[in-house]
């Protein structure tokens, strides 16, 4: 649709002549409870000024119909003014009032105003999600982050519902069979940050207050909501505890009182991402309401998200990037602060280990794609923006901020943040605004640092180079750096040796700046050569680390004996990178997992080892060895499952891993036994979500039938149950099951986002390569139509999810290359997705070659 993909130039032009005084938005969602009603009424009144009287501009709106457009009392004809994506307005005055009345569509893709009906009780729930540019699916607006304004929402909703918004409601009145909720004006915020959550949500309330430096008391009412049918699982106390710890921490460090009044946190169904930082009305995926046992890593992950979103109240909401090029300004910062505040203010003290192990793996992966980009990106338009919520913008950016704190010091960093908030409150910024304050507070020139870290793409590898004398003492220790552009790194180097009990502990640590291609570390000369050299110890910088031969031997025989959690996590991360880079045979990596994962005390690290081991087996292992590898992993999983402490997180993690790797009759029978109660593992509760994991294993191995799977839904007739059942049915190893899953996603756009996801995940099973091989041609044939016809969220899932990633052979790589060569002018965002999938495939082939030896 022309005009849907707003460009940076258009946004700049519009901001050049416009400033917005206020929005008044009235939504009537009383039709939501009628499943046949596709639309709701939306009326927007925008008061804005133009510095170019007489000029023309446009308002963004994605709606099935516009009923009327009135500019300064003059009616414009919707038939000519509205093209499906924009409303053209001309003859602007200095002061303007524009009223647009439209019928907007309820969403099933999670973009705009999403409507969900709970299968448990038939209740209807609504919520909005707008970032980067979907407010225009709900009301007419200037959809760009730098045209901030106060918003006043009025929502007419079914009488039994509650409605939440960024602001508090001023009054609620009955009107016919409905209730009208009038909300106070918000502070000036960007369109993508507005939010409405409406439905018969269950709510829990609490309160936060804090004495401020000026003697006044800040009062913040807290609320947490979820669907009624999830209420019995809702641990709001834990959520409020983390929330208050975060508010304490951010007030202490940021010295700027929380600006948005109250703080609601709404857990909503079929949510596309983790959470969204709408000021005063944060939305979260409801999978954070745990209905079955989860590990401590899941609680840690949720707390991290709560704190990440809270950091955004200042970084992102109070001060906002001008355009999506500087998305990192808010995401890198929030990602960094999420872990930082978690370690300093909550019981989750291993957040930096998780960060090193999980977040950074995301960044390293993304940064080695041919599509990687500098942290400060070049975002031409909204499709570019949508794809940039990636491992660079979040995880690499946060890693680089961690490096910046090591470089300028904590005090200078936070003092810079404080000045930044005060100077730019309610405004928009670019990179230079942040660097400017940090240069003042640190006294350092950050030009070179910024050029190397923020404006240059790619990851460096650091390798230790040691020479020793006849007695085994170090004569020279150097750090070699490769990568296209060497960077300045603040690093710690750890030397490890075995203590009398055999544990690997750190005997020396030096911290220094590494520059250029080779840096000699004179402090280490004269020391005995250690068993293990760990570069980037304490994880200060962002790099891949390599080992000298002796260190690698030490890891092979003793990785699990490194006593420090973070050091061990760094070693795991490094051997994973070696495997991905085809420098360590996959079976060697899996041997390390089989040997040492059972000793891994950090549950988050263990769970990521499980994930990585599964990926290694499915795509990096030599295909002729794959069956053997699978058997070894499943046997290892069963051994550790039986050895784990009854009822422990580790026991649950190993049970899930057994389900993912089981393939032999013996193992599948055990899974079935766990399901029907004829087998037991002491302390392992086979609760609902674990049951579905076991069913998925049976289904994908052809050891369960559709009747049995459907029967499980009777016991769990919930939204989550429906998603699991959909994935299980799509995973059945029959041509019919594959055809049905493919068709459900491709031949119709009726499925909601959550079921699209379930169909795709069930369809693409690593053990079913022959069954799905025939879809490769169809996939490449469909790409451009899918991109043109589906919403970007759904199109991204189809393009990424149906890519034949388990067809790891030269032919599939050639097919991908042929598509790329044959479609030079396909949408850049689509090409980017295909290029990344293609690159994963090429990497898999290299790793397989290494594994073959
Ligand atoms: Zn964020």
């Amino acid at each position: 649709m022309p005009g849907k993909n707003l460009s940076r130039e258009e946004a700049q032009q519009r901001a050049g002549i416009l400033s917005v005084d206020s929005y008044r938005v009235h939504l009537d969602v009383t039709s939501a409870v009628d499943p046949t009603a596709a639309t709701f009424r939306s009326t927007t009144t925008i008061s804005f000024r133009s510095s170019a009287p007489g000029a023309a501009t446009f308002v963004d709106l994605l709606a099935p119909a516009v009923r009327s457009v009135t500019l300064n009392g003059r009616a414009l004809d919707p038939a000519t003014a509205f093209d499906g994506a924009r409303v053209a307005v001309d003859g602007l005055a200095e002061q303007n009032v524009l009223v647009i009345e439209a019928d907007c569509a309820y969403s099933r893709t999670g973009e705009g105003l999403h409507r969900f009906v709970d299968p448990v009780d038939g209740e209807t729930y609504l919520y909005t999600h707008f970032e980067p540019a979907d407010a225009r699916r709900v009301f007419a607006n200037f959809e760009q982050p730098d045209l901030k304004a106060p918003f006043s929402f009025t929502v007419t909703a079914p009488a039994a519902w509650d409605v939440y918004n960024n602001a508090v409601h001023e009054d609620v009145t009955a009107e016919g069979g409905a209730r009208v909720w009038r909300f106070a004006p918000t502070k000036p915020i960007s369109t993508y940050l507005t939010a409405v959550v409406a439905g018969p949500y269950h709510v829990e309330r609490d309160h936060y207050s804090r004495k401020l430096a000026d003697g006044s008391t800040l009062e913040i009412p807290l609320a947490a909501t979820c669907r009624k049918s999830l209420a019995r699982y809702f641990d709001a106390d834990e959520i409020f505890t983390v929330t208050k710890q975060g508010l304490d921490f951010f007030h202490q460090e940021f010295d700027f009182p929380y600006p948005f009044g109250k703080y609601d946190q709404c857990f909503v169904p079929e949510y596309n991402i983790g959470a969204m930082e709408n000021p005063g009305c944060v939305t979260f995926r409801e999978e954070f309401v745990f209905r079955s046992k989860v590990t401590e890593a899941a609680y840690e992950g949720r707390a991290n998200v709560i704190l990440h979103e809270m950091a955004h109240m200042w970084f992102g909401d109070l001060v906002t990037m001008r355009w999506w090029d500087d998305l990192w300004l808010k995401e890198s910062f929030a990602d960094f602060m999420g872990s930082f505040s978690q370690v300093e203010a909550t019981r989750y003290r291993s957040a930096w280990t998780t960060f090193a192990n999980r977040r950074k793996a995301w960044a390293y992966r993304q940064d080695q794609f041919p599509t990687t980009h500098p942290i400060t990106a070049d975002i031409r338009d909204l499709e570019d923006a949508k794809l940039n919520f990636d491992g660079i913008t979040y995880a690499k950016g946060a890693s680089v901020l961690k490096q910046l704190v090591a470089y300028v010091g904590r005090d200078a960093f936070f003092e810079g943040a404080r000045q930044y908030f005060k100077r730019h409150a309610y405004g928009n910024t670019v990179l230079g605004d942040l660097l400017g304050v940090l240069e003042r507070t640190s006294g350092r020139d950050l030009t070179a640092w910024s050029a190397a870290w923020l404006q240059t793409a790619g990851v460096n590898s650091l390798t230790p180079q040691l020479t020793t004398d006849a007695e085994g003492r170090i004569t020279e220790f150097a750090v070699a750096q490769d990568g296209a552009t060497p960077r300045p790194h603040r690093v710690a180097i750890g030397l490890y040796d075995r203590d009398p009990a055999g544990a690997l502990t750190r005997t020396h640590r030096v911290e220094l700046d590494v520059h250029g291609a080779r840096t000699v570390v004179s402090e280490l000369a004269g020391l005995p050569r250690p068993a293990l050299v760990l570069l980037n110890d304490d994880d200060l910088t962002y790099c891949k680390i390599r080992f000298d031969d002796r260190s690698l031997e030490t890891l092979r025989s003793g990785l699990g004996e490194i006593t420090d959690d973070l050091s061990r996590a760094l070693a795991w991360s490094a051997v994973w990178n070696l495997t991905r880079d085809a420098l360590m045979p996959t079976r060697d990596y899996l041997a390390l997992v089989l040997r040492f994962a059972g000793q891994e005390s950090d549950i988050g690290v263990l769970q990521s080892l499980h994930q990585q081991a599964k990926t290694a087996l499915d795509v990096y292992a030599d295909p002729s060895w794959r069956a053997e590898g699978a058997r070894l992993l499943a046997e290892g999983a069963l051994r550790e499952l039986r050895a784990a402490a009854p009822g422990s997180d580790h026991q649950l993690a190993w049970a899930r891993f057994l389900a993912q790797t089981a393939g032999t009759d013996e193992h599948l029978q055990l899974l079935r036994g766990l399901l029907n109660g004829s087998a037991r593992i002491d302390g392992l509760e086979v609760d609902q979500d674990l049951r579905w994991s076991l069913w998925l294993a049976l289904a994908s191995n052809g050891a369960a039938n559709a009747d049995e799977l459907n029967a499980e839904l009777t016991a769990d007739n919930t939204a989550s149950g429906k998603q699991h059942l959909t994935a299980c049915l799509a995973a059945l190893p029959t041509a019919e099951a594959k055809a049905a899953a493919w068709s459900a996603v491709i031949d119709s756009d009726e499925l909601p986002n959550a079921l699209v996801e379930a169909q795709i995940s069930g369809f693409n099973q690593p053990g079913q390569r022959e069954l799905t091989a025939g879809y490769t041609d169809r996939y490449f044939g469909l790409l451009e139509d899918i991109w043109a016809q589906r919403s970007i969220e759904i199109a991204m899932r189809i393009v990424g999810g149906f890519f034949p990633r388990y067809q790891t052979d030269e032919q599939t790589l050639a097919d991908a290359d042929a598509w790329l060569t044959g479609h030079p002018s396909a949408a850049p965002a689509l090409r980017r997705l295909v290029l990344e999938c293609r690159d994963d495939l090429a990497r898999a082939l290299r790793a397989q070659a290494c594994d073959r030896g």
Side-chain angles (χ1 to χ4, degrees):
M1 190 177 295
K4 191 173 159 189
N5 190 14
L6 178 74
S7 73
R8 178 174 50 202
E9 281 67 34
E10 290 172 319
Q12 281 170 353
Q13 282 165 12
R14 203 158 55 174
I17 60 164
L18 301 186
S19 60
V20 186
D21 293 322
S22 71
Y23 284 89
R24 278 186 290 131
V25 180
H26 183 199
L27 307 177
D28 182 342
V29 296
T30 46
S31 65
V33 291
D34 172 4
T36 65
T39 61
F40 58 93
R41 187 73 68 84
S42 163
T43 309
T44 310
T45 305
I46 316 175
S47 300
F48 65 102
R49 277 168 289 155
S50 169
S51 59
T57 189
F58 61 91
V59 177
D60 301 288
L61 177 65
L62 293 174
V66 170
R67 289 169 178 252
S68 66
V69 180
T70 311
L71 177 66
N72 302 328
R74 170 168 62 98
L76 308 181
D77 180 5
T80 51
F82 180 57
D83 66 0
R86 294 178 175 182
V87 179
V89 289
D90 56 7
L92 295 182
E94 217 167 300
Q95 292 278 349
N96 301 276
V97 177
L98 176 66
V99 185
I100 297 180
E101 205 183 353
D103 294 322
C104 292
Y106 293 111
S107 164
R108 292 296 283 135
T109 67
E111 301 152 292
L113 182 65
H114 189 80
R115 174 166 60 173
F116 170 88
V117 178
D118 190 335
V120 174
D121 52 17
E123 296 282 13
T124 300
Y125 293 91
L126 304 177
Y127 65 85
T128 56
H129 179 71
F130 292 158
E131 191 176 28
D134 284 320
R136 58 190 172 150
R137 292 178 188 275
V138 176
F139 58 93
N141 64 71
F142 301 110
E143 189 84 274
Q144 59 189 78
D146 57 344
L147 284 174
K148 288 187 174 187
F151 289 78
S152 305
F153 277 85
T154 301
V155 180
T156 306
W161 285 18
D162 286 334
V163 183
Y164 301 84
N165 172 241
N166 308 92
V168 293
H169 64 266
E170 292 183 318
D171 65 60
V172 186
T173 53
E175 199 178 282
R179 286 201 291 174
V180 182
W181 295 67
R182 287 183 194 80
F183 292 91
T186 67
K187 291 275 174 29
I189 57 176
S190 307
T191 52
Y192 78 93
L193 289 169
T194 58
V196 171
V197 176
Y201 283 92
H202 168 80
V203 60
E204 309 248 357
R205 296 189 185 278
D206 203 334
H207 196 88
Y208 175 85
S209 54
R210 181 181 181 86
K211 265 258 183 294
L212 298 178
D214 65 4
S216 67
T217 305
L218 177 70
E219 304 285 357
I220 306 176
L222 307 177
T225 75
C226 68
R227 284 187 287 132
K228 280 194 294 190
S229 64
L230 288 177
R232 66 192 164 115
Y233 309 112
F234 199 33
D235 55 340
D237 285 353
E238 163 70 8
I239 290 163
F240 288 136
T241 297
V242 174
T243 302
K244 291 175 190 174
Q245 288 169 333
L247 287 170
D248 272 344
F249 179 81
F250 291 126
H251 278 97
Q252 181 188 310
E253 298 295 336
F254 291 168
D255 189 33
F256 192 108
Y258 172 71
F260 300 111
K262 48 93 184 178
Y263 200 68
D264 300 340
Q265 297 178 93
C266 303
F267 294 77
V268 298
E270 298 184 332
Y271 200 56
N272 283 331
I273 57 169
M276 179 66 209
E277 69 265 22
N278 314 302
C281 190
V282 183
T283 37
F284 293 85
R285 64 188 296 109
E286 69 176 16
E287 286 75 5
F288 285 129
V289 181
F290 305 124
R291 57 180 214 137
S292 291
K293 177 178 165 71
V294 294
T295 67
E296 180 74 355
Y299 289 95
E300 184 197 298
R302 182 178 67 182
N304 188 280
V305 174
I306 290 171
L307 296 167
H308 172 119
E309 304 312 327
M310 191 181 291
H312 273 312
M313 296 300 136
W314 289 264
F315 234 104
D317 295 0
L318 177 66
V319 184
T320 311
M321 72 269 152
R322 181 180 296 161
W323 175 250
W324 302 101
D325 311 67
D326 279 313
L327 176 61
W328 77 279
L329 267 180
K330 74 179 178 75
E331 291 308 341
S332 306
F333 187 88
D335 225 43
F336 171 74
M337 288 310 313
S339 298
F340 194 100
S341 60
Q342 203 166 7
V343 170
E344 300 230 340
T346 76
R347 71 184 166 96
Y348 303 101
R349 299 296 161 92
S350 54
W352 285 129
T353 304
T354 307
F355 183 82
N357 193 247
R358 298 188 79 99
R359 275 324 238 195
K360 281 197 163 172
W362 184 26
Y364 296 142
R365 175 170 181 267
Q366 191 100 42
D367 212 4
Q368 293 174 83
F369 282 141
T371 56
T372 191
H373 54 87
I375 292 173
T376 59
D378 176 27
I379 301 299
R380 295 156 296 190
D381 54 38
L382 289 176
E383 284 193 3
D384 277 1
K386 181 78 181 177
L387 263 73
N388 234 36
F389 291 81
D390 65 7
I392 302 299
T393 301
Y394 284 70
K396 183 181 178 183
S399 308
V400 165
L401 288 182
K402 193 173 184 216
Q403 167 72 180
L404 180 63
V405 172
Y407 187 63
V408 302
R410 176 194 164 131
D411 292 347
F413 180 79
F414 277 102
E415 181 54 29
R418 286 189 282 273
Q419 294 188 12
Y420 180 79
F421 297 139
K422 289 193 179 82
R423 179 172 309 207
H424 300 288
Y426 306 108
N428 293 85
T429 53
V430 294
L431 167 66
D433 297 314
L434 181 67
L435 290 183
V437 289
L438 286 171
E439 287 189 336
R440 276 192 295 283
T441 58
S442 70
R444 285 192 183 225
D445 180 355
L446 294 176
T447 316
W449 182 89
S450 162
W453 282 108
L454 300 175
Q455 289 152 309
T456 307
V459 57
N460 308 111
S461 298
L462 300 184
T463 308
Q465 294 178 338
L466 288 81
T467 53
T468 48
D469 62 16
E471 278 92 61
R473 295 195 172 271
I474 297 171
T475 48
E476 187 190 70
F477 187 111
V479 178
Q481 176 172 194
D482 71 6
T485 326
R487 296 188 172 97
H489 297 266
R490 185 76 188 163
V491 296
I493 300 172
L495 306 189
Y496 290 73
D497 269 304
R498 291 195 185 269
D499 69 10
L504 279 164
T505 56
R506 186 156 74 190
T507 53
H508 283 89
R509 177 187 188 275
V510 291
E511 192 176 316
L512 71 155
D513 292 325
V514 165
H515 300 276
R518 194 165 187 274
T519 305
V520 174
V521 187
S522 51
E523 300 98 302
L524 296 176
L527 292 172
R529 179 175 192 141
L532 170 67
V533 174
L534 189 61
L535 295 184
N536 196 27
D537 208 353
D538 299 329
D539 199 35
L540 302 182
T541 193
Y542 170 83
C543 67
K544 291 196 286 188
I545 51 174
R546 306 301 198 199
F547 300 100
D548 58 298
D549 290 344
R550 177 157 185 213
S551 295
L552 202 53
E553 271 319 301
T554 301
L555 290 177
R556 286 182 199 277
S557 62
L559 193 159
E561 278 121 43
I562 300 172
T563 47
D564 182 74
D565 283 354
L566 177 57
S567 310
R568 204 171 56 250
L570 289 167
W572 278 123
S573 158
V575 294
W576 174 240
N577 278 324
L578 290 174
T579 310
R580 280 174 39 81
D581 290 349
L583 296 171
M584 174 181 275
T586 304
R587 66 195 75 191
D588 291 8
Y589 172 75
L590 292 177
L592 284 171
V593 173
L594 282 164
R595 182 156 182 196
F596 296 119
Q599 300 166 231
E600 180 51 60
S601 56
D602 186 301
I603 184 65
V605 171
L606 177 64
Q607 289 181 275
S608 70
L609 288 176
H610 287 161
Q611 237 171 47
Q612 289 165 351
K614 182 78 172 95
T615 302
L617 176 74
D618 291 340
V619 296
Y620 296 156
D622 172 9
S624 70
W625 182 79
R626 211 183 268 139
E628 168 73 1
R631 191 182 57 75
L632 290 173
L633 281 185
E635 281 171 3
L638 182 56
R639 188 176 64 239
E640 300 300 342
L641 170 61
R642 294 199 189 280
S648 64
D649 285 358
H650 283 64
Q651 186 187 46
L652 174 60
W654 284 109
R656 288 189 194 148
F657 190 54
L658 176 62
Q660 285 175 14
T661 51
T664 62
D665 287 348
E666 180 205 341
H667 291 146
L668 294 170
Q669 269 168 26
L670 172 63
L671 302 189
R672 185 169 276 280
L674 290 171
L675 277 168
N676 65 25
S678 65
R680 271 182 53 79
I681 304 281
D682 189 26
L684 180 71
E685 193 198 335
V686 185
D687 58 20
Q688 191 58 62
D689 284 350
L690 183 56
R691 288 184 68 82
W692 283 116
S693 307
L694 301 176
W695 279 120
L696 181 64
L698 294 178
S700 63
N701 281 283
N705 62 46
D707 290 345
E708 293 176 300
L709 298 170
N710 281 305
E712 186 70 23
L713 185 70
T714 318
D716 181 28
N717 190 16
T718 62
S720 171
K722 264 172 110 166
Q723 291 163 26
H724 285 298
L725 174 68
T726 302
C728 285
L729 291 173
L732 287 169
T734 64
E736 296 73 33
K738 298 297 137 187
W742 178 272
S743 170
V745 173
I746 298 296
D747 298 335
S748 146
D749 62 0
E750 293 293 302
L751 278 188
N753 52 348
L755 293 183
V756 167
E757 186 71 32
Q759 293 281 12
I760 291 174
S761 76
F763 175 92
N764 229 338
Q765 294 295 315
Q768 300 173 356
R769 292 176 174 83
E770 285 170 24
L771 265 179
T772 51
Y775 288 88
T776 300
D777 286 349
R778 284 201 247 174
Y779 169 84
F780 286 112
L782 281 167
L783 286 177
E784 282 186 301
D785 283 348
I786 291 290
W787 197 261
Q789 289 159 12
R790 300 298 179 89
S791 77
I792 191 163
E793 183 68 41
I794 299 296
M796 283 168 69
R797 281 167 199 240
I798 294 175
V799 174
F802 274 143
F803 185 89
R805 67 179 181 280
Y806 296 124
Q807 312 295 342
T808 48
D809 49 49
E810 294 294 342
Q811 181 56 49
T812 310
L813 191 65
D815 292 343
D817 285 336
W819 186 88
L820 286 163
T821 312
H823 298 81
S825 50
L830 170 60
R831 284 183 58 85
R832 172 176 168 177
L833 286 173
V834 176
L835 268 165
E836 291 175 358
C837 292
R838 184 261 175 220
D839 193 66
D840 271 338
L841 191 58
R843 181 178 287 275
L845 293 174
R846 291 195 298 273
Q848 288 182 7
C850 170
D851 194 37
R852 257 192 305 277

